[in-house]
């Protein structure tokens, strides 16, 4: 599941105005890490009601297809790695002794292949920073076109890598990794093509992303079925059809600018009420002409309102807004640091603990994906057994991502953040324990839990960032979390080296170190969030009691402020953030 898809869903119910004072209630979530506010795009967002229904259907369908074939294809590394080994990629790195012994894969070859995946995994996270800026400034079409170009370059480099005098396997895999976020993240805005079905659309896109890791699995099966005749060169030259498809779809079907969110559509309805009477009407002396003009404007407004109502199901999206408010209350941490600057948020334990947890978990996940075959070869002392488990993993990874989608939504929407984090720590610990048990049942159980845990973990971190830090600083804070986690994933090469050099191929010490570190940080994170959520809960109870008292006693004073002025918790305090959110942020420091 995507790192940001739930945030898009949550943001779309936040009504906002482009011209109005941008208080915290009216911020539009941005993926741009450079600026706090979304920079002005060259074109205004378009309302879904302005685009024919058939075209919107085609856009969603086309996006699902290209995400299926390109969004997360590099995460199918475990499936294509045996093909690369069979083709002798990096075999020249082996020593003479290793070649004479006929080892299936030598030490330096293993490290080089795993480094290829490490670079791709790191770049996928780090590239989210420029993707956010490009998407906000230039729109989804430019982002999608850039993605298709990166994928094209990557496929060509990989196809001809065996014939070139320099190593282009790593750059090729890197470019394919870079293309994925450009096309995937730019597709999120398509959830607003049909607001009533935004959750379904996001689920389809996310399912396509998770399933795309199976592309290399299907290639490996074809490679084996043809007696190793279907070489990587042939496959990647045929694969060029995918970026060509993406490019053509972006040019001929996809919007150049994002679709308006639910909040923007609701604001459009509200603003249209004032468009019937214009100041220029006073300059017209003939009252009949004025009435005709106003009647024409009224008919146009009613038509627009009717189309928007059909899109939303209601005129003001009341039902959707109420559902989102209920989800916020259930979380227990909503608004903990809203209204505070990114610098303040980054210095807080909320940020430090989730970043440490993310770094450790992401390292464990990518380390397992890259080394699953070598780990189980050592544990079972059998290459055939390891291949069997590897094959099961290749099929389970995309399938687990798709199966987990509806359950992830149910968990995050209906349980507290403390519970979600506790579940993550429990599952991660269980996976770690199963991973060091040299039994077949433990290996298969480990793979099954891992494939379900991976999408839950990624989505839960983005969900945590939205609820705790807010949308105003999302691009900076969440982008920094993922960027740091990605960069520190380069430690995977050191872990590979330690496994081979220090522990003589035994993966248990590294796994135990990662397991213990993640467990300690996880316990600290859960304990901290549990404590803070209770403080936030008490604050909310006190606030509701105060509001109830002031409602019963409208003339009462509180700290010298009239009850009617104490007002809505969301009232802007004049500096761009709501008073309630800032007060909640101050309470969270205690």
């Amino acid at each position: 599941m995507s790192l940001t898809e739930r945030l898009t869903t949550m943001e779309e119910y936040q009504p906002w105005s482009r011209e109005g004072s941008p208080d915290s209630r009216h911020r539009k979530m941005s993926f741009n890490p450079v600026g706090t506010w979304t920079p002005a795009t060259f074109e205004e967002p378009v309302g879904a009601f302005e685009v024919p229904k058939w075209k919107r259907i085609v856009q969603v369908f086309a996006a699902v297809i290209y995400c299926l074939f390109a969004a997360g294809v590099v995460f199918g590394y475990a499936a294509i790695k045996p093909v690369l080994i069979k083709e002798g990629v990096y075999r020249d790195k082996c020593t003479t002794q290793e070649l004479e012994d006929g080892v299936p894969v030598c030490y330096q070859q293993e490290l080089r292949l795993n480094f290829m995946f490490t670079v791709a995994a790191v770049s996928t996270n780090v590239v989210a920073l420029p993707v956010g800026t490009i998407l906000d400034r230039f729109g989804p079409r430019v982002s999608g076109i850039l993605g298709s170009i990166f994928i094209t370059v990557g496929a060509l480099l990989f196809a001809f890598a065996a014939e070139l005098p320099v190593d282009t396997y790593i750059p090729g895999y890197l470019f394919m990794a870079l293309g994925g976020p450009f096309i995937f993240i730019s597709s999120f805005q398509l959830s607003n093509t049909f607001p009533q079905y935004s959750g379904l659309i996001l689920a389809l896109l996310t399912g396509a992303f998770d399933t795309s890791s199976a592309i290399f699995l299907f290639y490996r099966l074809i490679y084996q079925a043809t007696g190793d005749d279907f070489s990587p060169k042939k496959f990647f030259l045929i694969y060029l059809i995918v970026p060509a498809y993406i490019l053509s779809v972006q040019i001929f079907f996809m919007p150049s600018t994002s679709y308006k969110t639910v909040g923007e559509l609701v604001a459009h309805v509200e603003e249209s009420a004032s468009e019937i009477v214009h100041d220029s009407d006073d300059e017209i002396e003939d009252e009949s002409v004025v009435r005709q003009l106003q009647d024409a404007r009224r008919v146009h407004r009613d038509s627009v309102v009717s189309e928007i109502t059909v899109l939303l199901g209601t005129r003001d999206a009341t039902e959707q807004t109420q559902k989102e408010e209920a989800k916020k209350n259930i979380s227990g941490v909503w608004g903990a640091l809203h209204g505070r600057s990114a610098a303040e948020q980054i210095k807080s334990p909320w940020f430090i603990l989730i970043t440490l947890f993310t770094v450790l978990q992401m390292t464990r996940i990518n380390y397992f994906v890259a080394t699953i075959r070598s780990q189980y070869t050592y544990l079972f002392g059998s290459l055939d057994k390891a291949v069997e488990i590897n094959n099961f993993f290749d099929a389970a990874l995309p399938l687990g991502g798709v199966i987990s989608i509806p359950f992830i939504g149910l968990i995050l929407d209906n349980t507290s953040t403390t519970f979600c984090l506790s579940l993550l720590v429990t599952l991660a610990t269980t996976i770690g324990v199963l991973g060091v048990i040299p039994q077949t049942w433990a290996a298969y159980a480990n793979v099954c839990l891992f494939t379900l845990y991976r999408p839950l973990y990624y989505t839960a971190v983005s969900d945590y960032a939205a609820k705790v830090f807010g949308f105003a600083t999302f691009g900076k804070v969440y982008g920094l979390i993922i960027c740091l986690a990605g960069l520190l994933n380069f430690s995977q090469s050191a872990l590979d080296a330690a496994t081979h050099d220090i522990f003589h191929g035994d993966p248990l010490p590294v796994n135990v170190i990662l397991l213990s570190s993640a467990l300690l940080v996880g316990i600290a994170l859960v304990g901290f969030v549990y404590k803070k959520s209770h403080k936030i809960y008490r604050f909310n109870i006190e606030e509701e009691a105060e509001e109830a008292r002031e409602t019963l006693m409208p003339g009462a004073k509180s700290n010298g402020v009239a009850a009617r002025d104490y007002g809505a918790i969301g009232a802007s305090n004049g500096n761009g953030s709501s008073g309630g959110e800032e007060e909640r942020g101050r309470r969270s420091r205690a």
Side-chain angles (χ1 to χ4, degrees):
M1 187 172 242
S2 104
L3 295 170
T4 46
E5 58 123 55
R6 283 183 50 77
L7 306 180
T8 307
T9 306
M10 295 171 70
E11 179 274 332
E12 67 185 0
Y13 297 113
Q14 305 298 315
W16 75 297
S17 170
R18 294 182 182 277
E19 289 75 26
S21 174
D23 65 30
S24 62
R25 295 168 300 162
H26 295 149
R27 294 180 188 265
K28 181 178 181 180
M29 187 189 73
S30 169
F31 294 104
N32 184 3
V34 179
T36 301
W37 303 102
T38 306
T41 55
F42 294 112
E43 298 180 60
E44 282 291 307
V46 61
F49 62 91
E50 302 175 65
V51 180
K53 184 177 181 180
W54 69 266
K55 189 171 185 178
R56 285 181 279 136
I57 294 175
V58 169
Q59 289 172 345
V60 173
F61 178 78
V64 171
I65 295 300
Y66 64 61
C67 284
L68 176 64
F69 282 92
V73 65
V74 294
F75 292 102
Y77 168 76
I80 199 173
K81 183 179 178 181
V83 175
L84 299 179
I85 293 174
K86 188 79 172 180
E87 288 290 312
V89 175
Y90 295 130
R91 191 68 175 174
D92 59 317
K93 304 295 181 182
C94 299
T95 64
T96 303
Q97 184 62 47
E98 288 173 325
L99 294 175
E100 291 177 355
D101 293 342
V103 295
V105 55
C106 68
Y107 168 48
Q108 287 296 332
Q109 183 184 20
E110 174 82 7
L111 290 184
R112 198 70 176 172
L113 287 170
N114 290 347
F115 182 70
M116 180 180 74
F117 173 69
T118 299
V119 170
V122 169
S123 64
T124 301
N125 295 318
V126 176
V127 79
L129 300 179
V131 168
T133 302
I134 292 171
L135 181 59
D136 285 344
R137 290 183 181 273
F138 304 109
R141 177 179 291 168
V142 171
S143 179
I145 291 175
L146 286 174
S148 68
I149 293 173
F150 284 134
I151 294 171
T152 299
V153 173
L156 287 173
L157 289 175
F158 220 87
F160 293 100
E163 303 171 16
L164 296 174
V166 295
D167 177 15
T168 58
Y169 284 109
I170 293 176
Y173 214 69
L174 167 63
F175 274 103
M176 285 190 287
L178 293 176
F182 274 95
I183 65 169
F184 183 49
I185 296 177
S186 64
S187 300
F188 292 156
Q189 51 89 26
L190 292 176
S191 65
N192 295 313
T193 53
F194 298 94
Q196 292 189 72
Y197 304 102
S198 61
L200 174 61
I201 294 171
L202 288 171
L204 289 172
L205 292 170
T206 303
F209 171 84
D210 290 325
T211 308
S212 64
S213 62
I215 298 301
F216 287 159
L217 169 61
F218 289 122
Y219 164 57
R220 194 194 71 202
L221 294 176
I222 296 173
Y223 176 83
Q224 293 171 340
T226 58
D228 305 345
D229 184 55
F230 193 46
S231 67
K233 180 179 180 179
K234 293 179 181 178
F235 170 75
F236 282 101
L237 287 178
I238 294 174
Y239 186 75
L240 289 172
I241 295 174
V242 175
Y245 164 75
I246 296 172
L247 180 63
S248 61
V249 166
Q250 293 293 338
I251 293 174
F252 296 109
F253 293 101
M254 290 300 175
S256 59
T257 184
S258 299
Y259 280 100
K260 289 183 177 179
T261 65
V262 170
E264 291 174 293
L265 291 175
V266 172
H268 189 113
V269 172
E270 295 172 349
E271 292 169 2
S272 65
S274 61
E275 294 177 354
I276 297 176
V277 179
H278 291 182
D279 294 338
S280 60
D281 292 346
D282 296 335
E283 301 174 4
I284 303 175
E285 297 180 358
D286 191 335
E287 293 186 4
S288 63
V289 174
V290 173
R291 283 195 298 270
Q292 289 177 1
L293 288 173
Q294 292 178 352
D295 288 342
R297 294 170 192 153
R298 184 178 291 105
V299 170
H300 174 72
R301 183 205 64 181
D302 292 343
S303 174
V304 171
V305 170
S306 176
E307 291 175 327
I308 292 177
T309 301
V310 170
L311 273 177
L312 302 182
T314 60
R315 177 170 172 168
D316 56 3
T318 302
E319 183 179 349
Q320 294 97 320
T321 303
Q322 290 175 344
K323 289 181 179 178
E324 291 306 311
E325 285 298 321
K327 294 174 186 177
K328 294 174 184 177
N329 294 332
I330 290 172
S331 74
V333 299
W334 177 268
L337 297 183
H338 291 197
R340 295 171 65 179
S341 69
E344 290 179 303
Q345 293 175 345
I346 291 170
K347 295 175 184 177
S348 71
W350 293 94
F351 175 86
I352 295 171
L353 288 172
I354 194 64
T355 300
L356 289 174
F357 186 72
T358 302
V359 168
L360 289 169
Q361 294 303 330
M362 193 175 290
T363 300
R364 289 184 64 194
I365 287 172
N366 291 332
Y367 178 70
F368 183 75
V369 171
T371 63
I372 179 173
R373 179 170 294 196
S374 60
Q375 285 196 44
Y376 281 112
T377 298
Y378 184 91
L379 286 177
F380 290 109
S382 168
L383 177 61
D384 292 337
K385 195 68 176 178
V387 169
E388 179 184 319
I389 296 170
N390 195 159
N391 292 341
F392 177 73
F393 174 78
D394 294 338
L397 185 62
L399 187 61
V402 174
I403 292 174
S404 64
I405 289 174
F407 300 103
I408 291 174
L410 289 174
I411 292 171
L412 296 180
D413 288 343
N414 296 283
T415 62
S416 68
T417 300
T418 303
F419 175 84
C420 292
L421 293 175
S422 300
L423 181 62
L424 286 181
V425 174
T426 302
L427 289 176
T429 304
T430 304
I431 290 170
V433 172
L434 291 173
V436 299
I437 299 176
Q439 297 291 331
T440 303
W441 66 266
Y444 282 101
N446 183 30
V447 168
C448 290
L449 270 183
F450 177 89
T451 56
L452 296 175
Y453 169 79
R454 179 173 169 266
L456 172 61
Y457 152 74
Y458 281 123
T459 311
V461 172
S462 63
D463 185 70
Y464 172 99
K467 291 173 178 175
V468 173
F469 304 117
F471 301 123
T473 57
F474 177 80
K476 291 180 179 179
V477 178
Y478 179 69
L480 183 58
I481 292 173
I482 298 304
C483 182
L484 288 174
L487 290 174
L488 291 174
N489 259 239
F490 276 121
S491 63
Q492 182 182 318
S493 296
L495 297 178
D496 278 339
T499 300
H500 286 84
D501 293 340
I502 300 176
F503 305 118
H504 309 292
D506 185 357
L508 294 184
V510 169
N511 283 326
V512 170
I513 292 172
L514 290 174
L515 168 62
S516 303
S517 302
L519 179 59
L520 290 175
V521 173
I523 291 174
L525 174 62
V526 172
F528 174 81
V529 172
Y530 175 79
K531 179 181 177 181
K532 291 298 183 180
S533 64
H534 272 264
K535 287 188 176 182
I536 294 173
Y537 176 75
R538 287 200 303 269
F539 167 67
N540 289 337
I541 294 296
E542 293 171 3
E543 194 172 60
E544 291 174 3
E546 181 69 15
E547 289 180 352
R549 187 183 70 82
E550 290 170 351
T551 301
L552 294 174
M553 303 174 64
K557 297 272 186 175
S558 177
N559 295 326
V561 181
R564 61 179 178 275
D565 295 328
Y566 185 85
I569 187 172
S572 175
N573 60 14
N575 65 357
S577 62
S578 66
E581 288 177 343
E582 285 204 342
E583 179 64 24
R584 188 178 293 111
R586 287 193 292 271
R587 291 295 185 96
S588 69
R589 300 184 204 178

